[in-house]
Amino acid sequence: MSKGYTSFQGIKNVLVVFSSRAQSFDEAALDNFIKHAYPGSKVFFVSTSGQEIGKKHPSKVDLLIDFTQPGARQAFLFPFKMRKKSRFAIGRKAGLYFRSKLYDRIYDEKIDSSKPKDYLEGESWAQRKVLELAGVPVIRQGGVTLDRSKDIALDLRR
């Protein structure tokens, strides 16, 4: 991980705030990544409007991972509310300056020159960086190759 960020100690409950515009990872993938980084932890999900996604999260969590991007629709006091619930908070620099003061680790995509220009690729890049700041390694898999199963079967018949 860059800048020497390490995982946090004693993480039992993780709350993930999904992005309201684009989400690169689904619930199952995030659950898998986080549980590998923090064995024995429970992962809960909410939307930027605060609605539960799946099971209800406890009133206090150990780690908050907030994928809310700049310009996303969100309640004004939402970052304060989320920070109050969590021991550690990681997120993106979005909205007013107070998020950088509230959260423990912030990813600022506006100063990251290596972020791809394409919107979806850039969103995936930013979300991986937020997970990296949270101590959750995300390894990109290689590209999917062309499905040649029918061609191979036809070649075998000859």
Side-chain angles (χ1 to χ4, degrees):
M1 289 182 279
S2 66
K3 297 185 183 180
Y5 288 114
T6 58
S7 57
F8 297 99
Q9 300 299 318
I11 301 298
K12 298 293 178 207
N13 295 318
V14 179
L15 181 61
V16 177
V17 179
F18 276 139
S19 168
S20 62
R21 290 191 182 163
Q23 191 62 40
S24 297
F25 306 104
D26 63 353
E27 291 175 48
L30 286 171
D31 189 54
N32 187 23
F33 290 145
I34 293 168
K35 285 184 177 177
H36 275 92
Y38 300 107
S41 64
K42 293 179 183 166
V43 183
F44 304 93
F45 301 97
V46 296
S47 66
T48 53
S49 63
Q51 294 176 327
E52 302 283 340
I53 300 172
K55 55 191 173 207
K56 184 168 172 45
H57 69 275
S59 60
K60 294 286 186 186
V61 294
D62 297 314
L63 178 63
L64 169 71
I65 301 173
D66 189 354
F67 289 124
T68 305
Q69 70 271 38
R73 184 175 279 181
Q74 188 179 58
F76 180 69
L77 298 176
F78 187 74
F80 290 102
K81 182 180 172 185
M82 291 292 109
R83 178 61 184 155
K84 196 173 185 182
K85 289 182 177 191
S86 63
R87 218 168 37 136
F88 303 108
I90 287 72
R92 295 163 73 175
K93 188 171 184 179
L96 300 175
Y97 73 95
F98 56 78
R99 186 170 288 203
S100 58
K101 304 281 187 217
L102 285 176
Y103 287 9
D104 297 309
R105 297 177 185 170
I106 292 284
Y107 171 67
D108 189 358
E109 55 206 80
K110 292 184 180 179
I111 62 170
D112 187 2
S113 61
S114 59
K115 181 183 171 199
K117 301 295 181 211
D118 179 65
Y119 179 75
L120 292 176
E121 286 180 34
E123 191 63 27
S124 178
W125 176 271
Q127 290 179 15
R128 279 194 319 255
K129 289 295 184 179
V130 170
L131 286 171
E132 183 179 301
L133 289 174
V136 178
V138 177
I139 300 169
R140 288 203 76 170
Q141 296 178 353
V144 178
T145 59
L146 183 65
D147 181 17
R148 296 199 50 226
S149 61
K150 290 181 182 177
D151 296 337
I152 292 171
L154 290 175
D155 288 343
L156 291 174
R157 285 188 356 187
R158 293 181 202 177

